[in-house]
Amino acid sequence: MDEDEVLDVVDEHDEVTGRAPRGEVYRDRLRHRCAAVLVTDGQGRIFVHRRTTTKLIFPGLHDMFVGGVVGAGEGYAAAAWREAREELGAPGLPEPEPVLRFLFSGAGGSWWTSVHRVRWDGPVRPQPSEVAWHAFLTPEEVADRLESWEWAPDGLAAWRRLTASATR
């Protein structure tokens, strides 16, 4: 994590109100922007991983999304694509499709999250600094583990919104 990376600080309407280094944003729990990407393979399985214990936010927890913070002046789509390629170790990954956006508030602070999805049938070589364990799981396997595994709260909130919108 680069604590000096500059992020946009935003308000409750996702309007930029200033900029600050990531370390300050995290320390002072300033509202910022994040991009999350649901990665599925051709069989409909979902890339699930456990975050490393060195992560500043939600260390050691499972997540069904890859992604991260949106840099200052960067768009959600660009951040989603950059973060997914980096975290998966998949430089040929196609551009993820935006699906929904919501304001997450909870453990760790408050941030706007833009949720994307992408299909990837190529190899993955996750970043060891980001991913401690990974597998592609069926949607049923993910659902079976929702109560028994510890999940990153923002990823779980995104998952619930995404699955709720799919059943409407």
Side-chain angles (χ1 to χ4, degrees):
M1 181 193 76
D2 182 1
E3 290 193 23
D4 296 325
E5 178 185 13
V6 177
L7 308 180
D8 286 331
V9 175
V10 297
D11 65 15
E12 66 276 8
H13 304 290
D14 198 15
E15 298 293 329
V16 176
T17 60
R19 290 187 169 167
R22 183 197 300 230
E24 180 181 330
V25 167
Y26 284 10
R27 183 190 70 236
D28 297 342
R29 295 179 177 242
L30 302 174
R31 190 175 292 124
H32 55 287
R33 293 174 170 160
C34 289
V37 182
L38 184 76
V39 180
T40 57
D41 66 10
Q43 298 172 29
R45 297 177 305 169
I46 300 158
F47 180 85
V48 175
H49 68 284
R50 188 169 47 80
R51 299 165 61 86
T52 60
T53 57
T54 57
K55 298 286 286 178
L56 185 57
I57 300 291
F58 311 135
L61 300 185
H62 290 88
D63 206 341
M64 61 284 281
F65 294 90
V66 296
V69 296
V70 177
E74 185 178 32
Y76 282 116
W81 198 18
R82 173 183 52 77
E83 288 282 350
R85 287 187 318 236
E86 289 173 3
E87 208 164 312
L88 290 171
L93 186 78
E95 191 170 346
E97 167 193 348
V99 181
L100 62 93
R101 188 170 56 97
F102 71 100
L103 178 60
F104 171 80
S105 292
S110 173
W111 49 87
W112 279 95
T113 301
S114 180
V115 178
H116 298 74
R117 63 177 14 171
V118 68
R119 177 178 158 178
W120 178 245
D121 291 313
V124 294
R125 293 175 192 84
Q127 284 182 317
S129 62
E130 303 269 344
V131 176
W133 168 90
H134 73 278
F136 277 90
L137 303 179
T138 66
E140 295 79 20
E141 290 171 322
V142 172
D144 288 346
R145 289 160 175 80
L146 288 178
E147 299 303 320
S148 59
W149 286 7
E150 288 187 88
W151 296 92
D154 60 340
L156 189 56
W159 174 260
R160 288 188 171 137
R161 287 174 185 268
L162 191 61
T163 56
S165 69
T167 59
R168 287 186 196 142

